[in-house]
Each structure stands twice: as structure tokens, then as C-alpha cells.
Amino acid sequence: MKHPFLLALLLLLTKVGLSQSVILPAPGVYKAMVGEINLGNELSFDSTLLVKPLRNYMQTQLKEMYGINCVFGGKNALVQFQKLNNAPTDFYSINIGDNVKIRFTSEASCFYAFNSLFQLINGEKEHYSIQRAFVQDAPKFQWRGLHLDVSRHFFTVEQVKKYIDLMAFYKFNTFHWHLTDDQGWRIEIKKYPKLTEIGAWRDSTVENHYTTSPRTYSKNKYGGFYTQEQIKDVVKYAQDRYVTIVPEIEMPGHSRAALAAYPQFSCTIEEQGVPGLWGVFDDIFCSKEESIHFLQDILDEVLVLFPSQYIHVGGDEAPKARWTKCKKCQAVMRENGIPDEHHLQSYFIQQMDKYLTKKGRKLIGWDEILEGGLSDNAAVMSWRGFEGGIDAAKQQHFVVMSPGSHCYFDHYQSTNPAEPIAIGGYTPIEKVYDFNPIPEKLPASYHAYILGGQANLWTEYIPTMEKLEYMAYPRAIALSQALWCQEKPKFEEFKQAFQAFHVGYLKQRNVNFSRALFYPSSKLVPTKTGMKLYVKDEDQTQDFQLNYKIGDNTSFISKTIGDLDSMDFDRTVGSTVEKITVVLTSPLLKDPAKQVIYRHPALGLPITFITKPSPQYSSNGSLTLVDGVYGKLPWKGYEWLGFDTSTIEFIVDLTQKSTIEGASIHFLDDTNSWIYAPENCEIFVSKNGKKWSKPTGLRLDKSAVKFQLNQKMNGRFVKFQIKNRTKIPVGSNGEGNTPWTFIDEINIYFK
Ligand SMILES: [Zn+2]
């Protein structure tokens, strides 16, 4: 067996002076000492304290990765174990001297210790060794989760096991199995066989991004489900790796697959198929007693299969359109004195909450379940940012932080235009690494309510295991750092450790991980005369080339890039716009990274925000609006600035007194994603930034607004004032919420 990465490991150890290990997530303490233990081709363990699943795991891992024989003996074995009683939860230490001494507090921490030791094995077949060292470690958070949606796309038992095996290696301990949704019911329920006979199968699946117009569908029957026997097998497999499976049965929304099988539990009792389109649907479970009992029957079978303390009931994105018109729902409201449909949702969830509590379990749901009050027992998974989690913690509910900004691995992970299709959003690995489940503004007295964090993998655009691994790794390892480490090492150190051991490990395990971490990176920064494109290849992984052309008809000009290079884009004058196509090629990139930049007169101009963009969609700050880059569809988070208020104001400084001829601003209109083009947009011109006058001669279209001034105006500042609707209309996705306003580019024509 060849291990090309081991050479890199040696280089790394020299480079960092042995102060840092390759173990990820990084241990609290790692101290390297002089010398090493030679293993040859065998590693012996004192098995007195080792349970059978642990022994099996050790044996398989060592054999598969290194070809090392695992020998179980007694006091003479190389690796000795000692159980500690008075130490923090899941604490372990490893002392590598003449022999290896592992101290642990729990079976799980013994498993963690082994996986750390495993990463310290060095060398080649027949000549393995371990550097003498001392390791001491304990996790920071008790909920370290990864989620998998098997409804939008189905993953087989073998694939789910591979996913669990890998997450366990990186010391995750919670697998959130999203088993039901609109597009497929995936768990056998004996009392209601039609759930899987009908609900597990759909006749079509939307192709491309669902915002693509016109929509097309593949007409293949698609689906699958897990039998109860298979579920038991997966639960056992996870237990053997100290991973708890938290099953999710979605209610009252995202229930079209269940209602396709049993329409009598909807409000309209109308028969509808399992949808092949993504999104949020109006048809949800009716709140009548029969529907509540139906779901409680299902939970009965779920509880037998899953021993987890928490049971996830969803609770997100449930439109109230049907409930408003349903006589039975309205009767439930009257009989129980429920003021509106939002409180009816809370009543619905409380029925499940009481039921689970009675059975000795705890309910967890998405942060919408907080609206209208929860029982003391219930926990909240905060997905719409940190706010829901903060509110829940302040109400003394336990919280798992899973904000879209840091934890949605169905988002894009690099700005390489050749990234495979994703749902939208931009969550590069650096951002995941920065994740802290405890928000700064949460008072210390509530910190104990934050159980931990979790990344979610929604699979609308993840149809295969290869794509799943590509989206999950290595971002999941960055997340494991955020959830495990008491103090995270610097990102650069993480990157070095990843490169030294984990690239090789993931290859060996046949994991199709993303190489985005090593891509040559580019960044746009404003300058006095426009902006600059920096291209950086700090890893010097491969030679790469920058090619560019001006306009459509010229040919490409080529230049080979060193470690760092740049290209200037100066502002044009008047109404001149010039298209420049920049193409980056590298052997690392499967396809060249192509970027179209328009030189225009507002390029790189300073902008003052009166209304701040949302932190979730503000990747390159104000430059996003004047970087010459227009957002493409399907939209990617980093090309747009997103605002979650209904009035937006900002001021552009032309930096000197100018003659203004016109302006334009470009919006995104994607109502399925809660993003609305605004209802009104105005501009104002000022000489001093204080006294404003409103020009005449404006033309407003839908997603692009152009201002052609009837009379040219003199001034230095231009203010944009944008008004969107205050609430998403009833019957639309996200009804009742403030719509998002997304802007990709503004332009001002001036001399
Ligand atoms: Zn109803």
C-alpha cells in the first residue's frame, strides 16, 4: 500500500516543529516527544476493558487503512487502557512512551482515543511507527451533528452506513436522519403500509434548478424506503460507532408524501400524488384529532426502532392556507380557545410534545415550533439564523444551532463557476470553520442551553453518494473542529493537518471530497480608480493560467500566474460599459473558472449603507454592488447582497462633483426562495450628502430598474431608496415573513 501523504506528513512535522498533530478534530493538548515506537506490522491491545464492537472497529480500521494486524491480548500488549471516574464527559488521554497508555471515561471516549491514535500512525507497510507524544482531549459540545435528507433523494443502507462511519471517525455523535418529506416517505410503518407502498415513490423529478423556466421533469419513477429490519441494522451500526440517530418525522408541513398515501388526514381529503417538484406546499396535515392520532401511531413504531432521547418532528415551513379554510381545523381552534392558525400549529406540536414526554422521550423541532409556546422538555434546532436559538435558550429550552449561514452544506462552497449545481447560498469552508454555536450576544447564564451544532444536507440537488460526499467533505471536518475543540487552532493549521493526513485518508476510503480548499483563489477589492482582481495560489498546488479577453470578438490573452497576481479594472466614463471575460485554468479545476466582469462608471465606488445587508448574504460587502459582476441564475449567494428589511437605503459616493445622466439597479425575483423584486425604487442626488433632490424621468421595470434622467444633474452623492412589500402574501412560500431583497449590481452613468 502506498501512502503518498506520509511524505507530506514528514514535511509538515518538520515545518511546524512537531508542535501540532495531524489529528482532526484537533485535541486539546498534543505534545510531541523525542523518539518513536516501532510497530512493524502489528498493534496489540489489552482487550480486558474493550467491548466487542470496539474491538471489531479497531481491527477493521487498522486492516483496511494500513494493513496492520490487530492483536488482542492482556497486560503485555503495547496499548493499555485505564478507566477514569473523575474526569469530564468523554475525556481521554494518550501517553505514548515505551508503550501506549490510554485513559478514558466512557466507551465513547475510548473510541475517540483510538481514532486519534490511528491518525498518529506513521510510515509504510512493515515499518509503521508512532511518534512519542502526549494527547489530552475532551469535546466542547455534546451535540455534534450531521443531518441527511433521504426524502428528496434516497440513499441505500450501505451508503448511509458509509456516511455514519465517516462522521464517527471525525467524532460526530449525532446523525439526524430526515426520513420523511413531501417528495418521499422512507420508513416502513407496519400499521400504515401505504406510507411506503404509495408515499415512497414519485412519478417524476424536476430537472435543473427548480427556478429554471420553463420547468422540465424526468419521468422516471423514483423512490425507495427502509424496512424496519434495515433501520434496526443501521441503528446498531451507528451505536457501535457511538453515534445516536435522531429520526425526523416531519409535521404538520412537508407531508405531501404521507398525504398521497392517506389523503383523509389532510384538510381537503383530496387525492394528490407524491410531488416531483421542490419547495413548500399548501397541503399539510389537518389538525383534526384523527390526524394527530395517525401521527402518534407512527411515532409509536418510530420509538421502538430508535432509542434516542430526542425525536425530531420538523415543524418548519407549514403554510396555513388550508387550515384557514378547513371547518375541522377551525372547530379545533374554537374548542380549545386558540386565537389564530399560528397558535394552532403550536397546539399541534404540543400534542406531540405531550405524547413524547409521556413515553419518556423529548421533542426537538425546527425553530418555528417556538412560536406560541413549548413545553419545558422540548428542544429547538435553530436554522433561520441564530435568533431562534437565542430566544429558545433565553426561555430555557435546549438548543442545537444549525444556522443557514454556517451549517447548510447544500450551499455552494467556492466561487468557481464550475461548481456543480447547488440550491443557492454560499458557505465556504472558512465560514464553517468560524462557526461558534454560542452567539456573542447570548448572556453567559444561558450558554449551558446550547447543546451544540449540526450541519444539514438537504438533497434536492444531491442525487448521488459522490455528490453527497463532495458537498459534505471537507466542510464536515471543519465543523467537527468548531464543535469539538475548546480552542480552535488557526485555519492554516487545520489546513496543514488536513493536507498531511486526511487527504490521503479520504482517498483511501474512496470519499469524493471537494478540493475547493486548494483552488487558486480570486478576490475583488476596491481601488481608487476602480477595482483589482487578486488571484492567489498560496498552496502552489499546480501551475495555473489566467486568460482574459475584452468584448466578445477578440481572442484570449494568456498569462501564467505566480503565487500572487492581480489585474486592474478601471472605471469607465459616461455610459460606456465594457465586457471582460476572465478565465482561470488549473489542473485542479475540472472545468476552467470563467468570470465575466463589466467595466462601468460606478466600478469600486464607496457605498455607505443606511440599511445594513444581512450577514448571511453580504459576502464581499458593498463591493458586491459595484464589482461589475451580475448574478447568474440559479442564484449563488456570493453574487448578491441580501437584505431582510422591507425598506433599504444606501448612498454611493462618486468621489467628486459630477454630471449624472442616469442609473440602474438590478434585483433578483425568485419568490419560491422568498426573494421578491421590490415594489418601488427611487434615487436622489446631492452635492453634499445632506440636501437631496429627486430627479425626474424614471423608468421602472420588474427586476431591473433603469433611471434615465430627463435633465442631467450635478452632484457627488446618489442615494437609492428601495421599498419592498412588508410581508410575503398568503398562499406563497414563506407567507407572513418579510421577503428578501437581493441586489447584485448598481450602475450610475456620470462624467
Ligand atoms: Zn384541517
Side-chain angles (χ1 to χ4, degrees):
M1 211 182 303
K2 281 256 172 200
H3 296 293
F5 59 94
L6 290 172
L7 181 67
L9 169 72
L10 293 176
L11 291 174
L12 172 84
L13 290 178
T14 321
K15 203 168 159 186
V16 297
L18 303 174
S19 66
Q20 174 207 338
S21 81
V22 299
I23 301 169
L24 290 178
V29 174
Y30 173 82
K31 280 202 179 95
M33 288 173 289
V34 180
E36 54 186 30
I37 302 182
N38 292 315
L39 305 181
N41 218 29
E42 189 181 283
L43 193 51
S44 60
F45 296 89
D46 177 357
S47 60
T48 324
L49 295 173
L50 297 180
V51 293
K52 192 162 176 251
L54 204 47
R55 293 202 302 270
N56 289 344
Y57 179 82
M58 291 169 161
Q59 211 154 17
T60 317
Q61 289 282 317
L62 287 167
K63 194 80 198 164
E64 282 179 2
M65 176 75 183
Y66 301 109
I68 288 180
N69 295 320
C70 192
V71 179
F72 295 108
K75 293 267 178 282
N76 294 327
L78 183 71
V79 185
Q80 296 288 322
F81 294 91
Q82 187 192 344
K83 182 137 198 268
L84 299 176
N85 293 317
N86 299 317
T89 311
D90 292 339
F91 168 94
Y92 73 88
S93 69
I94 312 173
N95 208 334
I96 308 163
D98 290 334
N99 63 2
V100 179
K101 183 118 196 177
I102 290 177
R103 294 181 172 86
F104 65 96
T105 51
S106 59
E107 275 182 33
S109 71
C110 194
F111 178 79
Y112 301 143
F114 169 76
N115 279 323
S116 294
L117 181 69
F118 178 89
Q119 296 176 34
L120 293 175
I121 296 172
N122 215 335
E124 278 182 35
K125 201 174 169 82
E126 312 289 336
H127 302 286
Y128 289 112
S129 64
I130 305 177
Q131 167 88 36
R132 286 174 191 244
F134 176 70
V135 179
Q136 185 176 300
D137 204 7
K140 182 168 186 185
F141 291 102
Q142 55 172 294
W143 185 300
R144 303 181 301 278
L146 281 189
H147 149 287
L148 178 62
D149 163 15
V150 293
S151 173
R152 274 55 177 267
H153 283 102
F154 181 67
F155 294 85
T156 64
V157 166
E158 285 315 307
Q159 291 171 330
V160 171
K161 282 183 176 175
K162 188 182 178 194
Y163 190 72
I164 292 171
D165 193 43
L166 201 54
M167 63 183 273
F169 183 74
Y170 289 108
K171 301 187 173 87
F172 286 96
N173 65 353
T174 309
F175 173 51
H176 173 171
W177 204 356
H178 185 80
L179 286 161
T180 74
D181 213 300
D182 294 308
Q183 296 81 6
W185 183 279
R186 307 285 177 225
I187 171 173
E188 178 192 24
I189 300 295
K190 303 230 177 189
K191 189 165 182 181
Y192 299 106
K194 284 194 282 184
L195 282 172
T196 43
E197 284 165 21
I198 296 171
W201 305 95
R202 58 178 186 253
D203 295 332
S204 68
T205 302
V206 67
E207 295 171 316
N208 307 312
H209 198 268
Y210 80 144
T211 53
T212 306
S213 178
R215 282 186 183 132
T216 58
Y217 290 82
S218 87
K219 296 289 183 191
N220 302 327
K221 187 175 176 181
Y222 183 91
F225 66 92
Y226 310 104
T227 64
Q228 295 202 348
E229 285 310 305
Q230 287 176 319
I231 298 235
K232 282 181 206 159
D233 177 41
V234 174
V235 169
K236 171 79 171 62
Y237 184 87
Q239 273 171 345
D240 288 349
R241 283 154 185 76
Y242 304 92
V243 170
T244 301
I245 303 187
V246 174
E248 179 177 352
I249 306 295
E250 264 270 13
M251 62 188 82
H254 289 292
S255 46
R256 281 280 304 273
L259 296 174
Y262 295 95
Q264 62 266 42
F265 301 119
S266 69
C267 289
T268 62
I269 65 167
E270 191 187 324
E271 272 189 46
Q272 295 186 84
V274 177
L277 175 66
W278 320 128
V280 175
F281 298 93
D282 281 347
D283 286 289
I284 65 174
F285 285 117
C286 180
S287 63
K288 62 194 170 194
E289 216 179 333
E290 304 95 283
S291 303
I292 304 273
H293 285 158
F294 169 68
L295 285 162
Q296 290 175 342
D297 285 345
I298 290 170
L299 288 179
D300 280 344
E301 292 192 33
V302 168
L303 296 185
V304 173
L305 296 169
F306 295 96
S308 59
Q309 186 184 23
Y310 284 102
I311 302 292
H312 204 299
V313 298
D316 61 316
E317 299 183 322
K320 307 299 181 293
R322 295 290 179 263
W323 286 4
T324 317
K325 292 190 181 127
C326 170
K327 280 184 185 152
K328 295 202 169 173
C329 285
Q330 294 301 314
V332 173
M333 285 168 62
R334 269 195 314 277
E335 283 157 24
N336 295 282
I338 298 165
D340 58 32
E341 287 76 14
H342 290 281
H343 285 83
L344 182 57
Q345 154 130 357
S346 155
Y347 167 84
F348 191 111
I349 296 293
Q350 277 170 9
Q351 300 312 300
M352 300 304 151
D353 190 4
K354 282 181 200 155
Y355 194 74
L356 290 171
T357 304
K358 201 173 74 191
K359 303 268 173 177
R361 306 296 183 94
K362 294 177 183 175
L363 176 144
I364 186 166
W366 303 110
D367 53 66
E368 284 97 328
I369 65 167
L370 204 58
E371 296 156 13
L374 264 187
S375 85
D376 296 348
N377 241 344
V380 168
M381 195 170 266
S382 190
W383 73 282
R384 297 177 297 179
F386 289 92
E387 291 304 322
I390 293 172
D391 288 349
K394 285 185 178 170
Q395 293 173 38
Q396 305 187 336
H397 290 290
F398 284 112
V399 173
V400 176
M401 283 292 187
S402 189
S405 54
H406 296 74
C407 294
Y408 269 45
F409 289 0
D410 55 345
H411 290 176
Y412 287 96
Q413 57 192 314
S414 87
T415 55
N416 176 6
E419 278 291 346
I421 187 169
I423 197 160
Y426 177 48
T427 307
I429 189 166
E430 291 87 346
K431 182 132 195 196
V432 178
Y433 200 81
D434 277 344
F435 175 52
N436 181 359
I438 298 180
E440 255 173 43
K441 61 178 175 183
L442 183 69
S445 54
Y446 299 109
H447 288 189
Y449 289 100
I450 309 294
L451 293 176
Q454 176 180 298
N456 297 330
L457 281 119
W458 302 104
T459 57
E460 286 94 335
Y461 303 96
I462 305 181
T464 63
M465 191 65 187
E466 290 69 35
K467 181 92 178 269
L468 176 64
E469 291 173 345
Y470 179 87
M471 299 305 277
Y473 286 88
R475 285 190 287 193
I477 308 177
L479 180 68
S480 80
Q481 291 276 90
L483 299 177
W484 181 275
C485 303
Q486 306 290 343
E487 272 176 65
K488 262 179 296 196
K490 286 197 184 81
F491 185 74
E492 277 310 308
E493 289 173 27
F494 160 72
K495 204 167 153 181
Q496 283 172 358
F498 177 71
Q499 218 163 352
F501 177 85
H502 302 270
V503 165
Y505 178 72
L506 294 174
K507 279 184 186 168
Q508 158 79 22
R509 297 287 307 272
N510 205 12
V511 176
N512 179 40
F513 61 98
S514 163
R515 268 71 167 175
L517 187 55
F518 306 118
Y519 288 169
S521 60
S522 62
K523 190 174 171 59
L524 292 166
V525 294
T527 62
K528 273 190 174 161
T529 53
M531 63 172 196
K532 209 185 241 312
L533 170 74
Y534 279 108
V535 190
K536 201 162 77 168
D537 184 22
E538 57 185 20
D539 297 306
Q540 299 175 25
T541 38
Q542 304 281 353
D543 286 339
F544 69 103
Q545 272 199 329
L546 186 98
N547 308 288
Y548 63 95
K549 69 172 180 175
I550 297 164
D552 282 322
N553 300 319
T554 54
S555 53
F556 277 100
I557 303 159
S558 214
K559 65 194 234 184
T560 303
I561 303 293
D563 304 351
L564 180 69
D565 220 312
S566 66
M567 201 173 155
D568 282 303
F569 295 84
D570 285 342
R571 280 190 278 280
T572 56
V573 178
S575 56
T576 310
V577 175
E578 185 182 74
K579 179 182 170 185
I580 298 176
T581 310
V582 183
V583 177
L584 201 59
T585 59
S586 155
L588 256 189
L589 304 173
K590 275 185 192 146
D591 300 299
K594 188 175 143 191
Q595 177 83 352
V596 176
I597 293 172
Y598 290 91
R599 277 180 65 213
H600 59 64
L603 211 63
L605 285 175
I607 296 177
T608 307
F609 288 111
I610 300 169
T611 318
K612 293 230 167 11
S614 154
Q616 201 173 333
Y617 297 107
S618 58
S619 56
N620 207 12
S622 68
L623 186 67
T624 311
L625 298 185
V626 286
D627 61 0
V629 179
Y630 284 85
K632 286 172 284 298
L633 293 176
W635 60 275
K636 298 174 183 181
Y638 54 85
E639 289 170 340
W640 307 80
L641 273 195
F643 296 83
D644 52 7
T645 51
S646 48
T647 302
I648 298 150
E649 283 188 304
F650 54 85
I651 297 165
V652 185
D653 181 357
L654 307 180
T655 68
Q656 56 189 327
K657 204 179 138 202
S658 314
T659 310
I660 301 158
E661 299 166 3
S664 72
I665 180 162
H666 193 240
F667 300 98
L668 180 61
D669 193 38
D670 178 11
T671 55
N672 279 324
S673 304
W674 310 11
I675 302 165
Y676 281 68
E679 300 202 304
N680 189 32
C681 178
E682 290 183 302
I683 58 166
F684 301 86
V685 172
S686 170
K687 285 177 179 150
N688 53 15
K690 287 173 192 147
K691 214 175 141 217
W692 298 92
S693 41
K694 194 174 154 182
T696 55
L698 309 176
R699 206 184 75 222
L700 277 72
D701 296 327
K702 190 157 187 178
S703 56
V705 182
K706 283 190 178 143
F707 304 90
Q708 195 62 52
L709 270 54
N710 286 347
Q711 246 178 333
K712 289 179 187 175
M713 287 177 77
N714 289 328
R716 176 177 158 175
F717 300 95
V718 178
K719 178 159 77 178
F720 286 79
Q721 190 183 71
I722 297 147
K723 291 221 162 99
N724 212 326
R725 55 185 83 213
T726 51
K727 281 201 160 106
I728 295 175
V730 174
S732 305
N733 277 350
E735 65 172 71
N737 288 288
T738 308
W740 286 92
T741 307
F742 270 45
I743 312 171
D744 60 345
E745 198 70 4
I746 60 165
N747 207 338
I748 300 164
Y749 307 105
F750 67 97
K751 281 178 188 164

